[in-house]
Amino acid sequence: MLVLRLPERPGSRMLDRNFVLANADAVALNCKNRGVDLDIARFVEIETERRKTDQALQDAQRTSNALASAKDLSVDQKREKGRELRELRESLKAKLDTLQADADALLLRVPNMTHPDSPVGRDDKDNKEIDRNAVPIPTYAFPVRDHVALGELHGILDTEGGSKVAGPGFYFLKGDGARLELALQNFAVEFLAKRGYVPHITPDLARDSVMQGTGFTPRGNETNTYRIEGEDLSLIATSEITLCGLYQDTILDEADLPIRIAGVSHCFRTERAAGRATRGLYRVHQFTKVEMVVIATPDQSEEIHRELLANERAVFDALELPYRVLDICTGDLGGAAYRKYDLEAWMPGRGNGGEFGEVTSTSNCTDFQARRLNIRYRRGPKDKPNFVHTLNGTGIALGRAMVAILENNQEADGSVRLPKVLHAFMGQDRLVPRAPKA
RNA sequence: GGACGGGUGGCCGAGUGGUUUAAGGCAGCGGUCUUGAAAACCGCCGCAGGUGCAAGCCUGCCGUGAGUUCGAAUCUCACCCCGUCCGCCA
């Protein structure tokens, strides 16, 4: 999930406070492995005091309730004792609020627990390559063009035009470029629909409350989302926001799980690194993405996570693109993921002589997001609701997929072979550069 | 943008200051009856936190947040959301 690379608002997601209290040592170790500097002992201290205060407040409430409903006392008698009790309740409530806020401030920064097999490491350099597909990394007997050069040659990508009307980080896709994006989108939606993922075209904007609930905050100094001025709306960074928002505060039947969704939306991100990385389609402010979102039971989530990875691989296998699979290390997991795999496709135009570049990401967030979103499920009519597990994975991020297709399949004259699965959608098997102007 | 109306448990829906510890209905669960099923009847039937081995008990929750009061679903203020009609519009 690309989004977890963004700085997260502390508080967007959380662990259960009782779990942290009962497993303070394990939680502290997990924080250390994930590179999160947190004083768990301090949390335990505050939380313990918070509980005590909560108890005292409940006692006072009980006494007040008994007084108010007492039949053998006059209103005057009630009034005197009642005022006293109200003052006690108010002071306890104030104390409780403070403790609660302090405890939450710490709790909200505690990351999810980690799969025991995830590699322990500090940053993306410690991510572990666990596999590659059978497509060989191509070699070329001619000078390699990057996708920007190819796009220009074909007249299908116009970054200057995008810059003119919306600023750097925006672009036009034209002619076969526009058709290629639509073909890829169609292919991915069909592909996932056949595998049981119900296509959803979602709003591209969401209320601030949904942004908050799903952990993508529209406010604050580290915000990475665009807000609509004068409206309670922001542009979404991924359809995960609207899709999770759709299920927020619901109790599902176990029989309906897992829910498999293929979400299609535009994605908007304000992030933008400087330099070479900003070139072309690789990192942009707006792109289109087909996202897989699954809501599952705890029993199902590990298997579903493998399924999501398998789907991502199947998409890129079908596109005949070389890629490697990374098992993301503890320090690079972000806050919500229990385990995460990335696919990096080979991009011949990247760096010097080509580099792998991230094209998909799939996370098992276990119950971490569900707790915040308040998405639960019930086994039987008499059972208590439990938090679901949420998972997500990139079906296809159109911009980056096009980078990989253009760069890997280029030929000496700048022609680009199209993967077989796109022939029917495109009505052609290759892109040929337009004739150079005289 | 204008004018009205409305937010109560999974759903529908009573309820305008103290036997409401939220009536009643539907759905659901258990039972009686029945060859079986339906119907009928009886019982159970919200969420969260705390406490207890457990049965249970306690606290909070009637869109959200403040306020008035000994006591608020009910009164006051602000905000949010939903619906209908009109205007505008692909």
Side-chain angles (χ1 to χ4, degrees), chain A residues 206-236:
Chain A
R207 297 181 195 289
D208 288 346
S209 63
V210 172
M211 303 293 291
Q212 299 272 354
T214 51
F216 300 88
T217 177
R219 296 207 181 81
N221 47 5
E222 53 193 24
T223 187
N224 281 286
T225 55
Y226 290 97
R227 298 200 65 214
I228 304 296
E229 188 183 345
E231 300 278 333
D232 173 36
L233 289 169
S234 296
L235 300 182
I236 61 173

PDB file of all heavy atoms in Angstrom, chain A residues 206-236:
ATOM      1  N   ALA A 206     -14.040  12.615  -0.284  1.00  0.00           N
ATOM      2  CA  ALA A 206     -14.670  12.076   0.918  1.00  0.00           C
ATOM      3  C   ALA A 206     -14.738  13.157   1.986  1.00  0.00           C
ATOM      4  O   ALA A 206     -13.913  14.078   2.004  1.00  0.00           O
ATOM      5  CB  ALA A 206     -13.885  10.877   1.443  1.00  0.00           C
ATOM      6  N   ARG A 207     -15.737  13.020   2.821  1.00  0.00           N
ATOM      7  CA  ARG A 207     -15.874  13.940   3.955  1.00  0.00           C
ATOM      8  C   ARG A 207     -14.630  13.859   4.837  1.00  0.00           C
ATOM      9  O   ARG A 207     -14.015  12.807   4.954  1.00  0.00           O
ATOM     10  CB  ARG A 207     -17.038  13.531   4.859  1.00  0.00           C
ATOM     11  CG  ARG A 207     -18.371  13.560   4.258  1.00  0.00           C
ATOM     12  CD  ARG A 207     -19.364  13.126   5.352  1.00  0.00           C
ATOM     13  NE  ARG A 207     -20.657  12.785   4.790  1.00  0.00           N
ATOM     14  CZ  ARG A 207     -21.507  13.664   4.293  1.00  0.00           C
ATOM     15  NH1 ARG A 207     -21.201  14.952   4.303  1.00  0.00           N
ATOM     16  NH2 ARG A 207     -22.651  13.282   3.788  1.00  0.00           N
ATOM     17  N   ASP A 208     -14.362  14.950   5.523  1.00  0.00           N
ATOM     18  CA  ASP A 208     -13.235  14.945   6.451  1.00  0.00           C
ATOM     19  C   ASP A 208     -13.393  13.874   7.522  1.00  0.00           C
ATOM     20  O   ASP A 208     -12.415  13.247   7.936  1.00  0.00           O
ATOM     21  CB  ASP A 208     -13.086  16.325   7.111  1.00  0.00           C
ATOM     22  CG  ASP A 208     -12.556  17.357   6.128  1.00  0.00           C
ATOM     23  OD1 ASP A 208     -12.065  16.950   5.058  1.00  0.00           O
ATOM     24  OD2 ASP A 208     -12.637  18.560   6.426  1.00  0.00           O
ATOM     25  N   SER A 209     -14.631  13.640   7.969  1.00  0.00           N
ATOM     26  CA  SER A 209     -14.830  12.648   9.020  1.00  0.00           C
ATOM     27  C   SER A 209     -14.449  11.246   8.533  1.00  0.00           C
ATOM     28  O   SER A 209     -13.912  10.442   9.289  1.00  0.00           O
ATOM     29  CB  SER A 209     -16.282  12.649   9.496  1.00  0.00           C
ATOM     30  OG  SER A 209     -17.149  12.277   8.447  1.00  0.00           O
ATOM     31  N   VAL A 210     -14.692  10.980   7.262  1.00  0.00           N
ATOM     32  CA  VAL A 210     -14.289   9.685   6.701  1.00  0.00           C
ATOM     33  C   VAL A 210     -12.777   9.619   6.566  1.00  0.00           C
ATOM     34  O   VAL A 210     -12.152   8.595   6.848  1.00  0.00           O
ATOM     35  CB  VAL A 210     -14.970   9.444   5.337  1.00  0.00           C
ATOM     36  CG1 VAL A 210     -14.422   8.193   4.660  1.00  0.00           C
ATOM     37  CG2 VAL A 210     -16.471   9.327   5.509  1.00  0.00           C
ATOM     38  N   MET A 211     -12.177  10.730   6.154  1.00  0.00           N
ATOM     39  CA  MET A 211     -10.713  10.781   6.057  1.00  0.00           C
ATOM     40  C   MET A 211     -10.094  10.476   7.421  1.00  0.00           C
ATOM     41  O   MET A 211      -9.173   9.672   7.536  1.00  0.00           O
ATOM     42  CB  MET A 211     -10.251  12.169   5.614  1.00  0.00           C
ATOM     43  CG  MET A 211     -10.827  12.666   4.298  1.00  0.00           C
ATOM     44  SD  MET A 211     -10.290  11.746   2.846  1.00  0.00           S
ATOM     45  CE  MET A 211      -8.561  12.197   2.743  1.00  0.00           C
ATOM     46  N   GLN A 212     -10.653  11.109   8.448  1.00  0.00           N
ATOM     47  CA  GLN A 212     -10.152  10.896   9.809  1.00  0.00           C
ATOM     48  C   GLN A 212     -10.343   9.443  10.216  1.00  0.00           C
ATOM     49  O   GLN A 212      -9.443   8.805  10.733  1.00  0.00           O
ATOM     50  CB  GLN A 212     -10.909  11.789  10.804  1.00  0.00           C
ATOM     51  CG  GLN A 212     -10.768  13.265  10.561  1.00  0.00           C
ATOM     52  CD  GLN A 212      -9.570  13.868  11.246  1.00  0.00           C
ATOM     53  OE1 GLN A 212      -8.893  13.181  11.997  1.00  0.00           O
ATOM     54  NE2 GLN A 212      -9.290  15.122  10.978  1.00  0.00           N
ATOM     55  N   GLY A 213     -11.546   8.942   9.978  1.00  0.00           N
ATOM     56  CA  GLY A 213     -11.862   7.585  10.396  1.00  0.00           C
ATOM     57  C   GLY A 213     -10.982   6.554   9.733  1.00  0.00           C
ATOM     58  O   GLY A 213     -10.611   5.555  10.333  1.00  0.00           O
ATOM     59  N   THR A 214     -10.643   6.801   8.480  1.00  0.00           N
ATOM     60  CA  THR A 214      -9.818   5.834   7.779  1.00  0.00           C
ATOM     61  C   THR A 214      -8.332   6.115   7.965  1.00  0.00           C
ATOM     62  O   THR A 214      -7.498   5.407   7.438  1.00  0.00           O
ATOM     63  CB  THR A 214     -10.138   5.837   6.278  1.00  0.00           C
ATOM     64  OG1 THR A 214     -10.083   7.163   5.798  1.00  0.00           O
ATOM     65  CG2 THR A 214     -11.519   5.285   6.032  1.00  0.00           C
ATOM     66  N   GLY A 215      -8.034   7.161   8.716  1.00  0.00           N
ATOM     67  CA  GLY A 215      -6.646   7.389   9.081  1.00  0.00           C
ATOM     68  C   GLY A 215      -5.876   8.266   8.105  1.00  0.00           C
ATOM     69  O   GLY A 215      -4.674   8.399   8.200  1.00  0.00           O
ATOM     70  N   PHE A 216      -6.575   8.860   7.171  1.00  0.00           N
ATOM     71  CA  PHE A 216      -5.912   9.783   6.266  1.00  0.00           C
ATOM     72  C   PHE A 216      -6.416  11.170   6.613  1.00  0.00           C
ATOM     73  O   PHE A 216      -7.498  11.561   6.210  1.00  0.00           O
ATOM     74  CB  PHE A 216      -6.251   9.455   4.820  1.00  0.00           C
ATOM     75  CG  PHE A 216      -5.827   8.082   4.430  1.00  0.00           C
ATOM     76  CD1 PHE A 216      -6.678   7.013   4.625  1.00  0.00           C
ATOM     77  CD2 PHE A 216      -4.579   7.844   3.896  1.00  0.00           C
ATOM     78  CE1 PHE A 216      -6.283   5.727   4.280  1.00  0.00           C
ATOM     79  CE2 PHE A 216      -4.197   6.571   3.543  1.00  0.00           C
ATOM     80  CZ  PHE A 216      -5.052   5.508   3.741  1.00  0.00           C
ATOM     81  N   THR A 217      -5.654  11.878   7.394  1.00  0.00           N
ATOM     82  CA  THR A 217      -6.187  13.118   7.907  1.00  0.00           C
ATOM     83  C   THR A 217      -6.011  14.250   6.915  1.00  0.00           C
ATOM     84  O   THR A 217      -4.988  14.385   6.271  1.00  0.00           O
ATOM     85  CB  THR A 217      -5.522  13.496   9.230  1.00  0.00           C
ATOM     86  OG1 THR A 217      -6.054  14.749   9.636  1.00  0.00           O
ATOM     87  CG2 THR A 217      -4.026  13.632   9.055  1.00  0.00           C
ATOM     88  N   PRO A 218      -7.042  15.053   6.747  1.00  0.00           N
ATOM     89  CA  PRO A 218      -6.939  16.191   5.845  1.00  0.00           C
ATOM     90  C   PRO A 218      -6.304  17.406   6.511  1.00  0.00           C
ATOM     91  O   PRO A 218      -6.047  18.388   5.868  1.00  0.00           O
ATOM     92  CB  PRO A 218      -8.399  16.486   5.503  1.00  0.00           C
ATOM     93  CG  PRO A 218      -9.157  16.018   6.695  1.00  0.00           C
ATOM     94  CD  PRO A 218      -8.382  14.879   7.275  1.00  0.00           C
ATOM     95  N   ARG A 219      -6.094  17.350   7.795  1.00  0.00           N
ATOM     96  CA  ARG A 219      -5.544  18.511   8.495  1.00  0.00           C
ATOM     97  C   ARG A 219      -4.178  18.195   9.089  1.00  0.00           C
ATOM     98  O   ARG A 219      -3.734  17.078   9.074  1.00  0.00           O
ATOM     99  CB  ARG A 219      -6.488  18.935   9.616  1.00  0.00           C
ATOM    100  CG  ARG A 219      -7.833  19.406   9.098  1.00  0.00           C
ATOM    101  CD  ARG A 219      -8.458  20.389  10.043  1.00  0.00           C
ATOM    102  NE  ARG A 219      -9.761  20.807   9.547  1.00  0.00           N
ATOM    103  CZ  ARG A 219     -10.864  20.094   9.694  1.00  0.00           C
ATOM    104  NH1 ARG A 219     -10.804  18.940  10.322  1.00  0.00           N
ATOM    105  NH2 ARG A 219     -11.997  20.526   9.222  1.00  0.00           N
ATOM    106  N   GLY A 220      -3.568  19.199   9.637  1.00  0.00           N
ATOM    107  CA  GLY A 220      -2.303  18.986  10.315  1.00  0.00           C
ATOM    108  C   GLY A 220      -1.130  19.330   9.408  1.00  0.00           C
ATOM    109  O   GLY A 220      -1.275  19.457   8.197  1.00  0.00           O
ATOM    110  N   ASN A 221       0.038  19.455  10.009  1.00  0.00           N
ATOM    111  CA  ASN A 221       1.172  19.955   9.229  1.00  0.00           C
ATOM    112  C   ASN A 221       1.800  18.895   8.335  1.00  0.00           C
ATOM    113  O   ASN A 221       2.571  19.199   7.447  1.00  0.00           O
ATOM    114  CB  ASN A 221       2.227  20.566  10.165  1.00  0.00           C
ATOM    115  CG  ASN A 221       2.516  19.666  11.346  1.00  0.00           C
ATOM    116  OD1 ASN A 221       1.994  18.550  11.410  1.00  0.00           O
ATOM    117  ND2 ASN A 221       3.333  20.106  12.262  1.00  0.00           N
ATOM    118  N   GLU A 222       1.478  17.640   8.578  1.00  0.00           N
ATOM    119  CA  GLU A 222       2.076  16.621   7.733  1.00  0.00           C
ATOM    120  C   GLU A 222       1.047  16.051   6.747  1.00  0.00           C
ATOM    121  O   GLU A 222       1.133  14.932   6.305  1.00  0.00           O
ATOM    122  CB  GLU A 222       2.658  15.492   8.587  1.00  0.00           C
ATOM    123  CG  GLU A 222       1.669  14.921   9.575  1.00  0.00           C
ATOM    124  CD  GLU A 222       2.376  14.034  10.598  1.00  0.00           C
ATOM    125  OE1 GLU A 222       3.588  14.224  10.816  1.00  0.00           O
ATOM    126  OE2 GLU A 222       1.714  13.149  11.144  1.00  0.00           O
ATOM    127  N   THR A 223       0.070  16.859   6.455  1.00  0.00           N
ATOM    128  CA  THR A 223      -0.996  16.375   5.596  1.00  0.00           C
ATOM    129  C   THR A 223      -0.492  16.120   4.182  1.00  0.00           C
ATOM    130  O   THR A 223       0.388  16.806   3.682  1.00  0.00           O
ATOM    131  CB  THR A 223      -2.162  17.376   5.566  1.00  0.00           C
ATOM    132  OG1 THR A 223      -3.229  16.784   4.845  1.00  0.00           O
ATOM    133  CG2 THR A 223      -1.770  18.673   4.900  1.00  0.00           C
ATOM    134  N   ASN A 224      -1.039  15.109   3.558  1.00  0.00           N
ATOM    135  CA  ASN A 224      -0.669  14.798   2.191  1.00  0.00           C
ATOM    136  C   ASN A 224      -1.864  14.733   1.273  1.00  0.00           C
ATOM    137  O   ASN A 224      -1.812  14.155   0.204  1.00  0.00           O
ATOM    138  CB  ASN A 224       0.082  13.462   2.147  1.00  0.00           C
ATOM    139  CG  ASN A 224       1.522  13.650   2.563  1.00  0.00           C
ATOM    140  OD1 ASN A 224       2.319  14.194   1.815  1.00  0.00           O
ATOM    141  ND2 ASN A 224       1.840  13.239   3.767  1.00  0.00           N
ATOM    142  N   THR A 225      -2.956  15.325   1.760  1.00  0.00           N
ATOM    143  CA  THR A 225      -4.157  15.278   0.950  1.00  0.00           C
ATOM    144  C   THR A 225      -4.587  16.679   0.555  1.00  0.00           C
ATOM    145  O   THR A 225      -4.328  17.653   1.256  1.00  0.00           O
ATOM    146  CB  THR A 225      -5.311  14.620   1.734  1.00  0.00           C
ATOM    147  OG1 THR A 225      -5.489  15.327   2.963  1.00  0.00           O
ATOM    148  CG2 THR A 225      -5.003  13.181   2.047  1.00  0.00           C
ATOM    149  N   TYR A 226      -5.249  16.748  -0.571  1.00  0.00           N
ATOM    150  CA  TYR A 226      -5.815  18.011  -1.041  1.00  0.00           C
ATOM    151  C   TYR A 226      -7.171  18.221  -0.390  1.00  0.00           C
ATOM    152  O   TYR A 226      -7.985  17.314  -0.328  1.00  0.00           O
ATOM    153  CB  TYR A 226      -6.023  17.969  -2.554  1.00  0.00           C
ATOM    154  CG  TYR A 226      -4.757  17.977  -3.361  1.00  0.00           C
ATOM    155  CD1 TYR A 226      -4.210  16.791  -3.830  1.00  0.00           C
ATOM    156  CD2 TYR A 226      -4.126  19.170  -3.672  1.00  0.00           C
ATOM    157  CE1 TYR A 226      -3.053  16.795  -4.600  1.00  0.00           C
ATOM    158  CE2 TYR A 226      -2.965  19.185  -4.438  1.00  0.00           C
ATOM    159  CZ  TYR A 226      -2.439  17.990  -4.895  1.00  0.00           C
ATOM    160  OH  TYR A 226      -1.300  17.997  -5.654  1.00  0.00           O
ATOM    161  N   ARG A 227      -7.407  19.435   0.079  1.00  0.00           N
ATOM    162  CA  ARG A 227      -8.711  19.750   0.648  1.00  0.00           C
ATOM    163  C   ARG A 227      -9.459  20.696  -0.265  1.00  0.00           C
ATOM    164  O   ARG A 227      -8.854  21.498  -0.979  1.00  0.00           O
ATOM    165  CB  ARG A 227      -8.557  20.415   2.016  1.00  0.00           C
ATOM    166  CG  ARG A 227      -7.880  19.524   3.047  1.00  0.00           C
ATOM    167  CD  ARG A 227      -8.189  20.001   4.452  1.00  0.00           C
ATOM    168  NE  ARG A 227      -9.607  19.855   4.737  1.00  0.00           N
ATOM    169  CZ  ARG A 227     -10.287  20.696   5.499  1.00  0.00           C
ATOM    170  NH1 ARG A 227      -9.685  21.733   6.031  1.00  0.00           N
ATOM    171  NH2 ARG A 227     -11.565  20.497   5.710  1.00  0.00           N
ATOM    172  N   ILE A 228     -10.768  20.602  -0.217  1.00  0.00           N
ATOM    173  CA  ILE A 228     -11.596  21.520  -0.974  1.00  0.00           C
ATOM    174  C   ILE A 228     -11.918  22.709  -0.074  1.00  0.00           C
ATOM    175  O   ILE A 228     -12.492  22.537   0.996  1.00  0.00           O
ATOM    176  CB  ILE A 228     -12.923  20.847  -1.402  1.00  0.00           C
ATOM    177  CG1 ILE A 228     -12.656  19.563  -2.185  1.00  0.00           C
ATOM    178  CG2 ILE A 228     -13.772  21.818  -2.220  1.00  0.00           C
ATOM    179  CD1 ILE A 228     -11.950  19.754  -3.489  1.00  0.00           C
ATOM    180  N   GLU A 229     -11.523  23.881  -0.511  1.00  0.00           N
ATOM    181  CA  GLU A 229     -11.717  25.058   0.317  1.00  0.00           C
ATOM    182  C   GLU A 229     -13.207  25.333   0.540  1.00  0.00           C
ATOM    183  O   GLU A 229     -14.009  25.274  -0.387  1.00  0.00           O
ATOM    184  CB  GLU A 229     -11.078  26.279  -0.360  1.00  0.00           C
ATOM    185  CG  GLU A 229     -11.065  27.506   0.537  1.00  0.00           C
ATOM    186  CD  GLU A 229     -10.487  28.704  -0.183  1.00  0.00           C
ATOM    187  OE1 GLU A 229      -9.843  28.524  -1.241  1.00  0.00           O
ATOM    188  OE2 GLU A 229     -10.681  29.830   0.315  1.00  0.00           O
ATOM    189  N   GLY A 230     -13.529  25.608   1.788  1.00  0.00           N
ATOM    190  CA  GLY A 230     -14.900  25.961   2.111  1.00  0.00           C
ATOM    191  C   GLY A 230     -15.851  24.779   2.160  1.00  0.00           C
ATOM    192  O   GLY A 230     -17.053  24.940   2.346  1.00  0.00           O
ATOM    193  N   GLU A 231     -15.320  23.578   1.970  1.00  0.00           N
ATOM    194  CA  GLU A 231     -16.154  22.385   2.012  1.00  0.00           C
ATOM    195  C   GLU A 231     -15.558  21.406   3.012  1.00  0.00           C
ATOM    196  O   GLU A 231     -14.376  21.424   3.299  1.00  0.00           O
ATOM    197  CB  GLU A 231     -16.196  21.697   0.643  1.00  0.00           C
ATOM    198  CG  GLU A 231     -16.753  22.544  -0.478  1.00  0.00           C
ATOM    199  CD  GLU A 231     -18.273  22.551  -0.500  1.00  0.00           C
ATOM    200  OE1 GLU A 231     -18.868  21.580  -0.030  1.00  0.00           O
ATOM    201  OE2 GLU A 231     -18.835  23.556  -0.973  1.00  0.00           O
ATOM    202  N   ASP A 232     -16.388  20.527   3.471  1.00  0.00           N
ATOM    203  CA  ASP A 232     -15.951  19.498   4.388  1.00  0.00           C
ATOM    204  C   ASP A 232     -15.482  18.280   3.586  1.00  0.00           C
ATOM    205  O   ASP A 232     -15.878  17.156   3.828  1.00  0.00           O
ATOM    206  CB  ASP A 232     -17.148  19.150   5.298  1.00  0.00           C
ATOM    207  CG  ASP A 232     -16.871  17.960   6.188  1.00  0.00           C
ATOM    208  OD1 ASP A 232     -15.727  17.827   6.641  1.00  0.00           O
ATOM    209  OD2 ASP A 232     -17.797  17.170   6.422  1.00  0.00           O
ATOM    210  N   LEU A 233     -14.664  18.517   2.581  1.00  0.00           N
ATOM    211  CA  LEU A 233     -14.298  17.456   1.646  1.00  0.00           C
ATOM    212  C   LEU A 233     -12.815  17.499   1.308  1.00  0.00           C
ATOM    213  O   LEU A 233     -12.203  18.561   1.272  1.00  0.00           O
ATOM    214  CB  LEU A 233     -15.086  17.606   0.347  1.00  0.00           C
ATOM    215  CG  LEU A 233     -16.584  17.295   0.384  1.00  0.00           C
ATOM    216  CD1 LEU A 233     -17.239  17.746  -0.901  1.00  0.00           C
ATOM    217  CD2 LEU A 233     -16.818  15.811   0.636  1.00  0.00           C
ATOM    218  N   SER A 234     -12.269  16.300   1.052  1.00  0.00           N
ATOM    219  CA  SER A 234     -10.903  16.201   0.567  1.00  0.00           C
ATOM    220  C   SER A 234     -10.861  15.237  -0.603  1.00  0.00           C
ATOM    221  O   SER A 234     -11.716  14.365  -0.737  1.00  0.00           O
ATOM    222  CB  SER A 234      -9.987  15.681   1.680  1.00  0.00           C
ATOM    223  OG  SER A 234      -9.934  16.590   2.748  1.00  0.00           O
ATOM    224  N   LEU A 235      -9.837  15.383  -1.442  1.00  0.00           N
ATOM    225  CA  LEU A 235      -9.626  14.425  -2.523  1.00  0.00           C
ATOM    226  C   LEU A 235      -8.976  13.178  -1.915  1.00  0.00           C
ATOM    227  O   LEU A 235      -8.052  13.289  -1.110  1.00  0.00           O
ATOM    228  CB  LEU A 235      -8.708  15.026  -3.592  1.00  0.00           C
ATOM    229  CG  LEU A 235      -9.197  16.307  -4.260  1.00  0.00           C
ATOM    230  CD1 LEU A 235      -8.199  16.752  -5.344  1.00  0.00           C
ATOM    231  CD2 LEU A 235     -10.555  16.096  -4.882  1.00  0.00           C
ATOM    232  N   ILE A 236      -9.445  12.023  -2.318  1.00  0.00           N
ATOM    233  CA  ILE A 236      -8.934  10.799  -1.697  1.00  0.00           C
ATOM    234  C   ILE A 236      -7.564  10.419  -2.248  1.00  0.00           C
ATOM    235  O   ILE A 236      -7.232  10.736  -3.385  1.00  0.00           O
ATOM    236  CB  ILE A 236      -9.908   9.616  -1.895  1.00  0.00           C
ATOM    237  CG1 ILE A 236     -10.106   9.296  -3.382  1.00  0.00           C
ATOM    238  CG2 ILE A 236     -11.244   9.916  -1.217  1.00  0.00           C
ATOM    239  CD1 ILE A 236     -10.921   8.028  -3.616  1.00  0.00           C
TER     240      ILE A 236
END
